[in-house]
Amino acid sequence: MSYKQWNALIMVTSALVISAWVGWGLATDGPPADVSAGAWQMLWAIAYVIVFNIVASIVVTIVVSIVQREELVDEAGDERDLAVSARSMRNGYAVLSVATAGIIIALAVGLDPVLVPHALFGISMLAGGVFAASQLVYYRIG
């Protein structure tokens, strides 16, 4: 796998792991007391995603470099990379747009505003996961 594919795999994994952790917390602890508490929870979740991605990138780079006996480097981008990125971004933005509209509709019909930070985090993770998963698929078939 290339550096770009490993990065996409790390992004998909972090979106799944951190989203599952947030969902588990919401399911076991219930909704936060107020919107501010929910926003703080999601700010911490975003920080965990960032740390997870950094640590996983370092670990994967080291392990893959040891296994391959050569440095895992990011190769120069070409037309294929631009096409993969553009198609993947299109998929991610489509999911983000539809899901954002869904949240607005849900608010209009009575969604408790205390859940909005979690919903925004969820759709961000979903859109990012679709973007990264699309990259993996397009690199495999392209």
Side-chain angles (χ1 to χ4, degrees), residues 78-104:
D78 57 12
E79 294 84 21
R80 177 178 177 241
D81 293 321
L82 292 174
V84 165
S85 182
R87 287 184 285 172
S88 299
M89 197 170 296
R90 177 198 62 207
N91 295 345
Y93 277 124
V95 168
L96 183 64
S97 298
V98 170
T100 300
I103 289 176
I104 293 171

Side-chain angles (χ1 to χ4, degrees), residues 14-131:
S14 71
L16 290 172
V17 168
I18 302 299
S19 294
W21 173 73
V22 167
W24 177 261
L26 192 58
T28 57
D29 300 336
D34 57 22
V35 174
S36 178
W40 276 108
Q41 289 174 355
M42 295 309 91
L43 284 173
W44 278 108
I46 291 168
Y48 294 144
V49 168
I50 293 168
V51 169
F52 183 99
N53 284 340
I54 291 169
V55 170
S57 293
I58 292 168
V59 169
V60 164
T61 300
I62 290 169
V63 170
V64 171
S65 295
I66 290 170
V67 169
Q68 292 181 346
R69 298 182 189 256
E70 62 183 34
E71 186 177 354
L72 178 64
V73 295
D74 188 10
E75 59 280 346
D78 57 12
E79 294 84 21
R80 177 178 177 241
D81 293 321
L82 292 174
V84 165
S85 182
R87 287 184 285 172
S88 299
M89 197 170 296
R90 177 198 62 207
N91 295 345
Y93 277 124
V95 168
L96 183 64
S97 298
V98 170
T100 300
I103 289 176
I104 293 171
I105 292 167
L107 280 167
V109 297
L111 175 69
D112 187 356
V114 78
L115 296 175
V116 170
H118 287 77
L120 291 174
F121 177 81
I123 66 168
S124 296
M125 291 294 101
L126 180 61
V130 166
F131 169 73

